[in-house]
Amino acid sequence: MRPSPSNSPEAPGERPAPLAAGLGGLCPRCGARTLYAGWLRFEPRCPACGLDISAFNVGDGPAAFLTLILGTAVVVAAVALELSVSPPVWVHLLLWPPLTLAAVFASLRVAKAWLLALEYRNLPPP
Ligand SMILES: [Zn+2]
């Protein structure tokens, strides 16, 4: 679903750069820290400026992209650890699953907000 043109008008706040919006969970229109209702769930509407956040659809893009990046990084790190120290298997079992989960949850929040901010920036003019 395309965001409605009513999402385009300028709001009173300062419009943040997309990466800054991603890192801080900022509304892409007013810059208020109101983008998230939970850790990974967007607010339906910005409480500060009224931007209809539910009209944007970042889809699975961030998750698929992060799966490839983090999967590669974790496998490379696990192979490097195995080749350098050769720890027992239980070290790998205790180390990599929680590390992978933590990295996914931390980076998914940033990636979703960043993609939403880019989507907002690239809206066609009203
Ligand atoms: Zn806002």
Side-chain angles (χ1 to χ4, degrees):
M1 180 170 69
R2 298 286 309 162
S4 69
S6 67
N7 278 341
S8 299
E10 290 302 316
E14 185 74 23
R15 197 170 114 176
L19 184 57
L23 289 171
L26 310 177
C27 169
R29 183 160 73 177
C30 69
R33 197 176 297 268
T34 55
L35 192 58
Y36 283 103
W39 184 253
L40 288 175
R41 188 167 43 87
F42 288 130
E43 284 279 1
R45 183 171 289 277
C46 175
C49 72
L51 176 69
D52 185 8
I53 296 169
S54 67
F56 295 91
N57 182 14
V58 296
D60 293 335
F65 195 57
L66 289 173
T67 298
L68 294 173
I69 293 172
L70 292 173
T72 301
V74 167
V75 167
V76 166
V79 168
L81 180 68
E82 179 61 32
L83 292 178
S84 62
V85 191
S86 294
V89 166
W90 62 264
V91 171
H92 289 291
L93 293 175
L94 284 180
L95 184 63
W96 301 116
L99 202 68
T100 303
L101 277 176
V104 164
F105 280 110
S107 60
L108 193 55
R109 181 178 166 93
V110 172
K112 282 179 69 173
W114 189 11
L115 206 60
L116 190 140
L118 287 172
E119 196 176 328
Y120 175 78
R121 190 182 71 176
N122 293 313
L123 277 177

